[in-house]
Amino acid sequence: MSRNPRYDILFEPVKIGPVTAPNRFYCTPHALGTGQQMPHTRAAMREVRAEGGWGVVNTGYCSIHPSSDDAPLPNCRLWDDEDIKVHELMVDAVHRHGALAGVELWHGGSGTGNRLSRMTLMSASGISADSTYPGWISLARSRPMDKQDIRDFRRWHVDAAKRARSAGFDIVYIYAGMNFGPYQFLLPRMNKRTDEYGGSLENRVRLMREIVEDIKEAVGQTCAIALRFSTDELLKIPGENLESEAHEVISMLSDLPDLWDVKSSSWVAETASARFFEEGAQEPINSFVKPLTSKPVVGVGRFTSPDAMVSQIKRGILDFIGAARPSIADPFLPNKINEGREDEIRECIGCNICVSGYHDCVPVRCTQNPTMGEEWRRNWHPERIPSGDPDTSVLIVGAGPAGLECARALGQRGFAVTVAEAKEELGGRVTIESKLPGLSTWARVRDYRTNLMQTMGNMDIYRGSSLSAQDVIDFECDHAVIATGAQWTREILSTDGYPVGGIEGDAVFTPDDILAGAEAEGPVIIYDFDHYYMGSCLAELLRQRGTEVTIVTSANAVSAWTFMNNESGFIRVRMIELGIGTQFEYYLTGFTDGAVQLTSIYPGGDVRSIDCGSLIVVGIRAANRSLFDELNADPDRLADAGISSLRSIGDCRAPGTIAHAVYSGHECARTIDAGDDIPPIKWERPSLVDG
Ligand code: ADP
Ligand code: SF4
């Protein structure tokens, strides 16, 4: 297939200073969870995007000096010449596919912790911004930078830029955003200096200007200089000559950098999930930049639609379509547009599981793309997969995310695949959960897979087919895969936090009951110790219907886990806006006489009761294992039927997130014919080089 001419504009080369990007697809700098410690993993995770057609591929934040370290959160670094080699791996990998490689030089100022280097934090005036994010709360405050510090600060940037050039990078960033480095000089509330670096905007911009000029002079002949700048906070400060200080900063420096990378000052806002923000939500903080510079502008917006991308270019908002999450979900997004295969784009669903991977300090993982992070250690490619034997048949029972991903990947491998699904609709939990408020994009997990499966000649799909163990035996397949999912239980917790069995009654519901249409009489208590989205989503759903709702949880926040995927603040605001009540740090110990009994999670804490009409327990999901267990219990029966392997995958194997289910289905498809020869996983190892 050939490219739709409507999208030609996306494939125009764009000059960035001394280098030229082959197209407008731009992987903006973003954390990968690999840091400096996993160079092979990192190089492979970046390479796959260059291979998939992204014209520019950047590193994540790369510290220029030990006075800026973000441990334990994983950042890469260019502290001395020994650090260059690690970057060469990635640069070479990106260059192999004709893309430009960029490095995001970063000094965190007072916006980091220096927990590893233990050096005193530095900032414009010794002021640190508050952080309520547990991983970012630092007990250390910063000291104001004196003139020598400023000279050092400039020199460190130049030294790191020269190392970046030695590593082969084409684009060198200066990071002036998100409370980092020179950004702290820009903000009046962080900069109280009375010297030439404080006071007027011209003075506050001075350090940023000097660093850009220094780096330009040092490496600007060969490398493009990109300035990454957060606009939203300065947009709120009226300018002297222009609308805001953000306008003034851009017009003051206008054509000094070779590229402007504009963004939010908040990582939480920038990575806002699809539950709260739509594609292109950053436009209000980006759109003013282009008229103030002749240099190219890049920004993000979780763009997965080529039409939305074209609109950004044609309306003069952006020159490059910046992406982190869309490029994680589909590293081959540009190539698919280029080849007229838009239907095959694996669209990001905006769930932010990738964000949680970074906070977990492990290579980011993705709900949609199970190969992300596995490119090097398992040799998994997002588009290619080894062929299988077309005469080998596989039966998959259950078409949730696990079954669908397993079927899609097995179909791609060429096996003879049959899927049996009890319901008429495919998709399992994603079909159900995508009807919850804000989660409609989650249906993309199903749609990407079913779209491809329906084009496969080696794929039979039976809907409305609930299979028994005997049905599986009678099918006489070579391999059977059980993907029958899980269901919510009514189990609650003891006062020391362990499951103690179910709580029964006509007015006690599970999320499955509510999602299947059960009417819960208000006021409703949602007892949530799952701690992810379900409790707050159900509260929202019921509130929309006019029901009074209170969330009771053993945690100290609504949907407590979601601080890991940057949703917790938005969820809390939504609960407040909707008037949803909360009771934190209580176990639910009973439900009698129209009231729930609650007991404080703390020894000696109080006991109280709240009147309610219904109770929804959002806690534990139990695997639907009975089909698998029955088959697994009788190996002779399987052997007689010619079934050489039986596997359980996804929630049926062990309940988890949709990302776990997709990964499990994919892993099964890759290894179904491997027997005992599953290739060992490679692990990165520290070097024993002294010093
Ligand atoms: P996962 O997340 O592991 O994919 P889901 O719960 O989303 O799990 O999907 C499991 C699917 O399996 C559901 O669509 C369910 O209808 C289907 N299913 C469960 N038991 C059977 C069965 N015996 N035969 C066919 N389909 C089944
Ligand atoms: Fe998008 Fe979710 Fe994948 Fe992140 S994990 S890239 S938000 S689909």
Side-chain angles (χ1 to χ4, degrees):
M1 276 183 282
S2 57
R3 181 166 84 209
N4 184 332
R6 201 161 75 232
Y7 306 137
D8 285 352
I9 196 169
L10 300 173
F11 293 89
E12 291 170 348
V14 181
K15 207 166 151 23
I16 317 174
V19 299
T20 301
N23 57 39
R24 295 182 188 270
F25 293 94
Y26 193 107
C27 265
T28 43
H30 71 87
L32 264 189
T34 50
Q36 194 81 353
Q37 279 69 34
M38 304 178 83
H40 295 95
T41 307
R42 184 170 67 118
M45 289 169 87
R46 303 278 185 208
E47 174 172 14
V48 82
R49 279 172 276 177
E51 185 190 354
W54 297 88
V56 179
V57 179
N58 284 285
T59 65
Y61 61 153
C62 177
S63 170
I64 58 170
H65 188 264
S67 58
S68 169
D69 94 68
D70 215 18
L73 290 167
N75 60 267
C76 55
R77 61 176 203 236
L78 270 168
W79 288 351
D80 56 33
D81 289 354
E82 284 298 313
D83 284 336
I84 294 173
K85 247 198 185 93
V86 159
H87 289 276
E88 284 172 348
L89 268 186
M90 175 203 140
V91 171
D92 293 347
V94 167
H95 282 171
R96 270 198 286 281
H97 305 282
L100 299 178
V103 59
E104 184 187 36
L105 299 186
W106 163 78
H107 195 290
S110 63
T112 183
N114 286 358
R115 292 171 175 88
L116 176 66
S117 71
R118 302 184 68 176
M119 296 175 85
T120 307
L121 300 170
M122 295 190 302
S123 63
S125 300
I127 298 171
S128 304
D130 180 36
S131 172
T132 50
Y133 176 78
W136 295 339
I137 292 172
S138 173
L139 300 181
R141 297 282 136 181
S142 58
R143 66 176 172 82
M145 288 164 73
D146 61 23
K147 290 290 170 53
Q148 184 57 44
D149 292 324
I150 289 179
R151 282 191 290 276
D152 289 343
F153 197 73
R154 290 173 59 181
R155 182 170 48 80
W156 297 335
H157 273 92
V158 169
D159 290 347
K162 288 180 179 165
R163 290 184 195 114
R165 181 183 56 189
S166 301
F169 283 108
D170 310 287
I171 301 174
V172 175
Y173 265 76
I174 293 116
Y175 198 167
M178 270 195 188
N179 253 328
F180 296 141
Y183 187 64
Q184 303 191 338
F185 281 73
L186 288 175
L187 289 185
R189 64 188 185 199
M190 298 285 284
N191 183 345
K192 305 291 180 196
R193 300 176 75 96
T194 52
D195 62 4
E196 69 271 32
Y197 290 97
S200 68
L201 182 60
E202 198 175 340
N203 282 355
R204 283 182 275 129
V205 170
R206 188 179 309 280
L207 179 60
M208 192 157 105
R209 179 196 293 279
E210 286 173 347
I211 295 171
V212 177
E213 286 170 348
D214 291 346
I215 294 187
K216 244 186 144 170
E217 192 184 321
V219 303
Q221 291 295 313
T222 44
C223 301
I225 313 302
L227 185 51
R228 190 162 224 214
F229 172 59
S230 291
T231 58
D232 51 328
E233 290 177 296
L234 291 168
L235 275 170
K236 292 181 195 142
I237 304 176
E240 261 181 40
N241 308 307
L242 296 173
E243 205 177 317
S244 76
E245 289 205 341
H247 289 73
E248 296 205 343
V249 171
I250 304 268
S251 67
M252 274 170 165
L253 301 187
S254 186
D255 286 354
L256 185 63
D258 297 313
L259 173 128
W260 285 93
D261 181 337
V262 284
K263 69 192 303 266
S264 164
S265 62
S266 152
W267 144 248
V268 169
E270 187 178 54
T271 57
S273 67
R275 182 172 168 189
F276 298 99
F277 288 92
E278 303 209 323
E279 183 173 10
Q282 306 273 325
E283 194 173 314
I285 64 162
N286 291 346
S287 57
F288 73 98
V289 177
K290 258 189 74 60
L292 300 173
T293 174
S294 70
K295 296 302 172 84
V297 176
V298 61
V300 295
R302 203 163 25 78
F303 295 112
T304 57
S305 144
D307 290 309
M309 297 175 195
V310 167
S311 162
Q312 290 285 312
I313 310 290
K314 288 205 165 154
R315 287 186 297 120
I317 311 292
L318 300 173
D319 297 291
F320 284 106
I321 302 303
R325 288 171 290 177
S327 73
I328 293 171
D330 196 342
F332 277 63
L333 183 150
N335 281 0
K336 288 177 184 174
I337 299 173
N338 197 23
E339 293 160 12
R341 296 190 290 131
E342 293 84 42
D343 285 356
E344 296 177 31
I345 293 174
R346 198 167 40 235
E347 284 187 277
C348 168
I349 67 167
C351 62
N352 284 6
I353 284 293
C354 49
V355 170
S356 76
Y358 162 66
H359 286 156
D360 276 331
C361 305
V362 295
V364 301
R365 60 273 335 273
C366 172
T367 298
Q368 275 283 56
N369 175 9
T371 66
M372 183 48 53
E374 306 296 342
E375 299 85 347
W376 177 78
R377 70 175 188 178
R378 302 196 78 169
N379 201 22
W380 287 4
H381 190 276
E383 298 298 311
R384 291 191 296 274
I385 192 164
S387 325
D389 175 5
D391 293 328
T392 297
S393 59
V394 186
L395 171 66
I396 297 166
V397 186
L404 287 178
E405 172 59 15
C406 189
R408 184 208 62 77
L410 284 168
Q412 187 188 0
R413 293 193 62 190
F415 290 102
V417 182
T418 302
V419 180
E421 164 55 50
K423 297 192 177 130
E424 288 301 326
E425 265 191 300
L426 304 178
R429 64 185 287 192
V430 291
T431 295
I432 298 166
E433 293 175 11
S434 61
K435 296 183 180 111
L436 283 164
L439 303 190
S440 61
T441 54
W442 291 24
R444 294 172 177 178
V445 173
R446 172 199 63 207
D447 296 342
Y448 161 71
R449 293 170 174 84
T450 52
N451 281 348
L452 287 175
M453 285 161 66
Q454 71 193 10
T455 66
M456 295 175 176
N458 52 339
M459 178 80 55
D460 287 323
I461 302 172
Y462 294 93
R463 298 159 186 257
S465 297
S466 178
L467 299 197
S468 65
Q470 192 56 47
D471 293 331
V472 175
I473 294 295
D474 292 344
F475 196 77
E476 294 186 352
C477 54
D478 296 311
H479 302 280
V481 179
I482 310 302
T484 46
Q487 57 195 311
W488 292 94
T489 70
R490 290 175 174 73
E491 262 193 294
I492 59 168
L493 301 177
S494 65
T495 50
D496 44 11
Y498 292 97
V500 284
I503 184 158
E504 297 302 331
D506 290 347
V508 180
F509 300 97
T510 67
D512 293 324
D513 298 331
I514 302 299
L515 290 166
E519 296 282 341
E521 189 189 320
V524 170
I525 295 289
I526 295 179
Y527 178 43
D528 179 14
F529 54 99
D530 169 62
H531 305 308
Y532 193 12
Y533 56 91
M534 184 56 79
S536 58
C537 277
L538 283 178
E540 214 174 319
L541 180 76
L542 294 176
R543 200 73 199 92
Q544 282 174 1
R545 294 177 186 166
T547 310
E548 196 183 315
V549 186
T550 298
I551 297 179
V552 174
T553 176
S554 50
N556 59 5
V558 175
S559 296
W561 180 86
T562 59
F563 78 87
M564 294 297 286
N565 75 342
N566 286 355
E567 284 190 305
S568 59
F570 296 116
I571 293 175
R572 187 73 186 111
V573 169
R574 180 69 53 87
M575 297 300 108
I576 293 168
E577 283 169 353
L578 293 176
I580 291 166
T582 48
Q583 287 282 328
F584 298 136
E585 302 180 324
Y586 281 93
Y587 291 125
L588 182 143
T589 42
F591 177 38
T592 47
D593 303 328
V596 288
Q597 286 80 52
L598 309 181
T599 304
S600 166
I601 64 166
Y602 299 112
D606 72 313
V607 174
R608 61 177 64 178
S609 74
I610 306 179
D611 291 341
C612 65
S614 321
L615 167 66
I616 304 174
V617 180
V618 184
I620 294 170
R621 292 163 70 228
N624 295 327
R625 295 184 56 90
S626 56
L627 177 61
F628 175 79
D629 286 343
E630 184 181 339
L631 290 164
N632 199 36
D634 197 345
D636 292 342
R637 192 178 172 204
L638 292 171
D640 290 348
I643 299 174
S644 64
S645 81
L646 170 75
R647 302 229 205 157
S648 61
I649 59 170
D651 290 321
C652 154
R653 186 166 178 77
T657 62
I658 297 165
H660 289 111
V662 171
Y663 183 85
S664 165
H666 190 85
E667 182 180 46
C668 175
R670 290 234 176 214
T671 56
I672 199 147
D673 51 347
D676 295 332
D677 293 332
I678 296 175
I681 298 175
K682 291 190 283 187
W683 303 104
E684 307 244 16
R685 293 179 201 284
S687 143
L688 296 181
V689 175
D690 188 6

